[in-house]
Amino acid sequence: MSRKLRIGVVMDPIASIKPYKDTTLALMLAAQARGWALEYLESGGLMVDRGQAWGRMRAVRVQDDRQHWFDWDGESRLAPLRELDAILMRVDPPFDMNYISSTYVLERAQAEGVSVFNRPQSLRDCNEKLYTAWFPELAPPTLFARDTSRLRAFHAEHGDVIYKPLDGMGGSGIFRVASDGLNLGAVIEQLSDQGRRMIVAQKYLPAIADGDKRVLMIDGEPVPYCLARVPMAGETRGNLAAGGSGRPQPLSAADRRIAAAVGPELRRRGLLFVGLDVIGEHLTEINVTSPTCAREIDAAFGTDIGGLLMDAIALRLQASA
């Protein structure tokens, strides 16, 4: 593939990221290192005009610098998305109607010949919490419901339960209700909006004390190392955004078993870059929108996760040429 590739990256505002830990920046650096041209897009600039996908894009160059990590290479312009060879969809949740609308635009671009990672339809189909229901043998006891009586009964059955929203990220909106049931009603009412919104109830896993492991998957295969996010004292959430600390480590036998079970289905659905969340020996979430933790793993083990993903993208582009 001798022609210079043009890669669009749909992401949150680049000026607001934390460059030392931002996985999207790592992916952009890896693409640029291969001589590929980068086009920056935000979801608000995506549109469909008379059936064709367009986006407001701007050429950008990136560098691994905590103070100055990007430079514009020209002015912003409105252009057909079919001008791009590939698009990375890297917008963080919440998974709301704005996000869904963006996937429809990207699906139109895909129909016009652009390779989109991850596949837009699969981004819609595979809710990061609910998709674990396709692998119940790997997950802890989990209930997805808005029926408040059933959500209460789940606590009565399991005694110590995590309740969380379907569309959050970074540990937001996660509550633990221990065996005493303190605040059970308030938690269920608040999260479910008095039974109007489906939420997640999941049996509490004491293994969280050893970390909520992020296992990164590239085209159905696991990176051999993960990041265990360990809760700070007095917390049950290991998310780094909630104060957890990262502990890079090799994959365990259980991590590899889970990855091997899930990987073929991810590949089939066009989910090229995915983050599995594993607590102990259980799969708790399948993160498909904008998985993170690549920077921490690369720093600890000298891996090049962005480069591995770009290799996988190059193979997909060659196959579709």
Side-chain angles (χ1 to χ4, degrees):
M1 191 175 296
S2 56
R3 181 174 60 84
K4 186 173 184 176
L5 297 178
R6 293 181 64 195
I7 308 297
V9 184
V10 185
M11 61 184 291
D12 297 306
I14 193 169
S16 302
I17 67 173
K18 297 177 180 177
Y20 66 94
K21 63 179 292 184
D22 193 86
T23 293
T24 302
L25 179 61
L27 304 185
M28 296 170 78
L29 287 165
Q32 184 176 272
R34 281 157 174 72
W36 301 352
L38 294 173
E39 296 282 354
Y40 166 84
L41 303 98
E42 293 184 19
S43 54
L46 298 176
M47 61 192 75
V48 174
D49 186 357
R50 285 164 288 186
Q52 295 186 339
W54 291 70
R56 189 163 298 282
M57 60 183 77
R58 192 171 187 183
V60 65
R61 293 192 59 81
V62 291
Q63 47 269 343
D64 196 3
D65 186 319
R66 294 191 178 202
Q67 304 302 319
H68 187 83
W69 56 92
F70 73 99
D71 288 295
W72 300 122
D73 189 10
E75 297 300 317
S76 173
R77 67 201 183 286
L78 186 63
L81 293 184
R82 65 176 179 271
E83 291 184 1
L84 302 171
D85 295 288
I87 297 174
L88 304 182
M89 178 53 165
R90 291 286 305 172
V91 175
D92 287 340
F95 190 86
D96 54 14
M97 198 60 213
N98 284 331
Y99 191 103
I100 292 172
S101 298
S102 295
T103 69
Y104 287 127
V105 180
L106 295 177
E107 194 163 16
R108 290 304 306 146
Q110 182 180 267
E112 295 168 23
V114 185
S115 295
V116 183
F117 308 104
N118 288 322
R119 184 185 295 163
Q121 180 183 349
S122 294
L123 289 175
R124 294 194 301 272
D125 288 350
C126 302
N127 176 274
E128 302 194 323
K129 277 75 169 176
L130 229 166
Y131 191 36
T132 60
W134 273 246
F135 309 94
E137 71 283 0
L138 304 176
T142 306
L143 170 70
F144 302 93
R146 63 180 190 176
D147 183 313
T148 57
S149 63
R150 185 66 194 95
L151 290 164
R152 283 178 172 273
F154 187 87
H155 182 269
E157 179 181 358
H158 295 287
D160 199 348
V161 174
I162 294 292
Y163 291 94
K164 55 187 175 182
L166 275 175
D167 59 353
M169 64 165 289
S172 63
I174 295 179
F175 295 90
R176 176 186 178 187
V177 180
S179 56
D180 60 9
L182 189 64
N183 293 323
L184 173 63
V187 167
I188 292 174
E189 290 166 10
Q190 178 68 24
L191 287 179
S192 72
D193 190 20
Q194 301 285 350
R196 287 185 284 269
R197 182 187 303 126
M198 180 176 285
I199 65 172
V200 189
Q202 199 164 68
K203 182 180 179 180
Y204 174 72
L205 298 172
I208 186 62
D210 296 320
D212 178 357
K213 292 175 285 186
R214 169 58 55 83
V215 178
L216 291 174
M217 305 285 290
I218 297 175
D219 201 12
E221 297 293 333
V223 174
Y225 306 98
C226 67
L227 185 72
R229 297 158 297 173
V230 181
M232 64 180 181
E235 263 286 1
T236 58
R237 300 172 299 171
N239 309 76
L240 302 183
S245 58
R247 184 186 298 164
Q249 59 192 44
L251 297 188
S252 68
D255 299 334
R256 292 184 178 277
R257 174 177 56 82
I258 290 169
V262 176
E265 181 65 8
L266 299 180
R267 188 183 299 114
R268 187 186 71 80
R269 287 180 177 265
L271 293 167
L272 202 69
F273 190 44
V274 173
L276 307 180
D277 285 354
V278 178
I279 299 176
E281 298 188 355
H282 292 92
L283 175 68
T284 60
E285 292 188 15
I286 303 175
N287 295 272
V288 301
T289 54
S290 57
T292 61
C293 298
R295 300 282 272 180
E296 294 87 346
I297 296 170
D298 282 348
F301 295 107
T303 48
D304 179 13
I305 293 169
L308 293 173
L309 180 60
M310 294 310 123
D311 289 344
I313 288 173
L315 287 173
R316 290 291 184 97
L317 294 178
Q318 288 171 0
S320 62

